Amino acid sequence: MRAIVRFGLAVVSLGILILAPAAVADAASPKVTVVNLRGPLINATFSVIDPSGCVETDTFVSANLPSYQQLPGKPVTTGVASVSIFAYDACTDTTIMDATGLTEALPAGSLQVSKQLDQASLQMTLPMTDIDTGATFSVNVNVALVGTSTIHRDDVNSNDLYGRTCHVLNRWKGSGRTAEASGTVTDGVTNYTPEATQQAEIGLVIDGFEVIGCL
């Protein structure tokens, strides 16, 4: 479960925050800079093979509600969601579809995650672009997740030095359950998620860093 939670966080850009020297320079000030990130998340991977046995379609759905706070300021919460659909014909060695969609302006209420991390849902419409052809279309997402495990927790702390006096403290905590996901991701003609999947998670991340002595 640890690998699942950490991977999911990376997908939604709330993974362990390890700053590179350039990032430290951007955040640097004579004073201590403290930034906190937190928010619930979901991830689900659906795979289906058509009756011919040739075409496999993999659909990945991810969403979270990251809250960003640079002290002493107030936290700002946004909604992030993405969908990718990849369809491949192994019999003809042909990519049928390789489409992605991303929004950083998820409407309020679209993502619901219970405090116990045992239930979650995502309802939204997302514009998609096929990477190979440039074709655009939209999918309607209506997916529900139900936890299937106990809550697993993980945490990582690090102290990265950048010069004699500049160092960055990174703090990361992740909690989550594996889950079963079901529902629809459809363009109005094809439902790309006709079967439920056990490859899903419901989680919560608390992440932050402290920049000290970086001029």
Side-chain angles (χ1 to χ4, degrees):
M1 177 61 190
R2 291 185 176 184
I4 293 177
V5 171
R6 301 259 305 265
F7 173 74
L9 299 178
V11 170
V12 294
S13 302
L14 272 179
I16 299 174
L17 183 54
I18 304 298
L19 295 184
V24 171
D26 290 341
S29 73
K31 300 179 180 179
V32 175
T33 299
V34 179
V35 174
N36 296 317
L37 300 163
R38 66 177 297 150
L41 66 90
I42 64 165
N43 288 308
T45 300
F46 300 83
S47 295
V48 61
I49 298 176
D50 78 340
S52 72
C54 292
V55 179
E56 179 175 354
T57 302
D58 297 320
T59 302
F60 179 69
V61 178
S62 178
N64 79 316
L65 297 174
S67 180
Y68 174 91
Q69 180 182 26
Q70 180 169 337
L71 298 179
K74 297 181 179 180
V76 177
T77 301
T78 58
V80 180
S82 66
V83 172
S84 65
I85 304 171
F86 182 77
Y88 175 74
D89 189 331
C91 297
T92 62
D93 190 22
T94 302
T95 297
I96 299 173
M97 178 184 295
D98 187 2
T100 61
L102 170 68
T103 180
E104 296 181 355
L106 190 64
S110 298
L111 174 61
Q112 299 287 333
V113 178
S114 69
K115 292 183 179 180
Q116 296 76 25
L117 305 181
D118 57 353
Q119 295 184 14
S121 64
L122 177 64
Q123 296 181 337
M124 59 175 291
T125 299
L126 184 66
M128 304 283 291
T129 300
D130 191 306
I131 297 172
D132 292 332
T133 66
T136 59
F137 59 100
S138 293
V139 292
N140 292 316
V141 180
N142 189 350
V143 174
L145 293 83
V146 177
T148 57
S149 73
T150 59
I151 291 181
H152 296 262
R153 295 177 173 86
D154 195 7
D155 63 88
V156 176
N157 296 289
S158 66
N159 185 354
D160 301 309
L161 300 177
Y162 301 95
R164 293 183 179 180
T165 61
C166 173
H167 62 113
V168 179
L169 304 177
N170 287 279
R171 307 175 304 279
W172 181 92
K173 293 182 180 180
S175 303
R177 302 180 192 266
T178 55
E180 179 180 272
S182 60
T184 58
V185 176
T186 176
D187 60 7
V189 177
T190 302
N191 175 22
Y192 297 98
T193 58
E195 300 175 4
T197 179
Q198 298 291 328
Q199 299 183 61
E201 64 171 338
I202 306 170
L204 171 70
V205 64
I206 301 173
D207 196 2
F209 67 89
E210 186 172 347
V211 181
I212 303 173
C214 302
L215 300 177

